[in-house]
Amino acid sequence: CLIIAGTGSNDTAYAIDLTQCACQLGYDGMLVVTPYYNKATQGGLIKHFSMVADVSTKPVIMYNVPGRTGSNIEPKTIARLAAEFPNIVAVKEAAGNVAQTAELFRVLPENVTIYSGDDGLVLPFMSVGARGVISVLGNIGGQMLQDVMRLYSEGKVAEAAELNKKLVPLANSMFIESNPIPVKYAVTKVTGINAGAPRLPLTPISEAGAAKLDAILAEYGLV
C-alpha cells in the first residue's frame, strides 16, 4: 500500500518544507496542488513546482484543479516541468476539460501518467489518454469505478459506457454539498468507520443533504 502526502500550498516556501518533511517521514510520494488564491502566472507556476520537485526525494504528482485554486496549469507548462524533473511522474487533472486532457496527453513525456481528478469524467478522460482516477467516490464505490475502467481497458467500450451511466449520479452525489462534506458522511454510513466531521470552515452535512444522500446510498445498495 502506497501512501501519498498532500504537500501543496500557495506559499512556495511552506510547500517546500512540507515536501521535505513528508520525504523524511517516509511517504511514498507527494501530491502537490496548484497554488490557490494568489493566481500565479505560468512562469510563477514553473518556479513553484520546480522548487518543490527539486527538493523531493520521492515521486511527485501535480494536481490541477482550477475550480478550487483559481488557476489552471497549461499543458505546455506541465510538459516542460515533467521533461525537466524525472520525479514528476503523474498529473491529477481536475479541470474538467476533455480537450485540455487530450492536449496534455499529446505533449507529456510518455512515462508521465494522467489521472482524472473527477470520478464522473474517468471514462472520457481515458479515451484521450488518462490511465485512471484519483477518486472521491472510491472511498465508498471503488468497485464500480474499477469495473468501468476495466471494461474500457478490455475494449468493451459500450459496456463501460452503460455502467458509467449508473456511476455518474452516484459520483455527483458526493458533491451535493462542498467536498469532502458528503463523502465523510457517506464513509461513516457505508463502512461503519466514523470519518468524523470536517474541519471549519466546512460544516457537517445538512439535514436535507443527509436525507438526500441516504436515499442515494440506499438506491445503490450501499447501506
Side-chain angles (χ1 to χ4, degrees):
C1 180
L2 299 179
I3 303 177
I4 309 299
T7 61
S9 173
N10 67 338
D11 175 347
T12 302
Y14 187 50
I16 289 170
D17 287 346
L18 287 174
T19 299
Q20 289 176 317
C21 181
C23 288
Q24 291 166 3
L25 289 171
Y27 283 88
D28 298 294
M30 310 296 135
L31 180 66
V32 184
V33 71
T34 316
Y36 38 88
Y37 181 76
N38 43 25
K39 294 187 177 181
T41 63
Q42 296 301 301
L45 293 174
I46 288 170
K47 289 184 178 180
H48 175 85
F49 280 103
S50 293
M51 294 179 74
V52 173
D54 193 50
V55 302
S56 180
T57 59
K58 301 295 178 68
V60 173
I61 303 171
M62 295 178 63
Y63 180 13
N64 186 35
V65 55
R68 286 185 176 269
T69 65
S71 181
N72 181 51
I73 318 176
E74 296 176 2
K76 63 182 179 181
T77 299
I78 299 174
R80 174 176 169 179
L81 287 161
E84 185 173 350
F85 294 94
N87 60 337
I88 294 178
V89 299
V91 181
K92 178 182 178 181
E93 179 54 66
N97 187 327
V98 178
Q100 178 166 292
T101 303
E103 174 64 9
L104 182 59
F105 182 70
R106 186 185 73 83
V107 299
L108 271 182
E110 290 185 0
N111 61 329
V112 180
T113 302
I114 302 171
Y115 294 105
S116 174
D118 298 290
D119 295 305
L121 289 176
V122 64
L123 187 57
F125 273 30
M126 287 183 73
S127 75
V128 294
R131 295 281 300 277
V133 61
I134 297 178
S135 175
V136 174
L137 182 60
N139 290 283
I140 61 163
Q143 188 59 57
M144 193 183 304
L145 277 166
Q146 288 285 348
D147 289 343
V148 168
M149 292 185 286
R150 176 183 53 78
L151 287 167
Y152 182 82
S153 297
E154 292 174 353
K156 300 174 182 176
V157 177
E159 291 178 47
E162 284 298 316
L163 184 57
N164 194 63
K165 286 198 303 187
K166 181 179 179 182
L167 179 146
V168 168
L170 182 60
N172 290 342
S173 75
M174 296 297 101
F175 295 86
I176 58 174
E177 294 181 11
S178 295
N179 178 49
I181 292 172
V183 73
K184 287 179 72 70
Y185 176 84
V187 165
T188 300
K189 295 283 289 191
V190 172
T191 70
I193 299 170
N194 187 353
R199 292 177 296 182
L200 288 171
L202 297 180
T203 54
I205 195 167
S206 66
E207 289 187 12
K212 184 175 181 180
L213 194 50
D214 283 343
I216 293 169
L217 294 176
E219 178 185 347
Y220 279 80
L222 292 169
V223 292

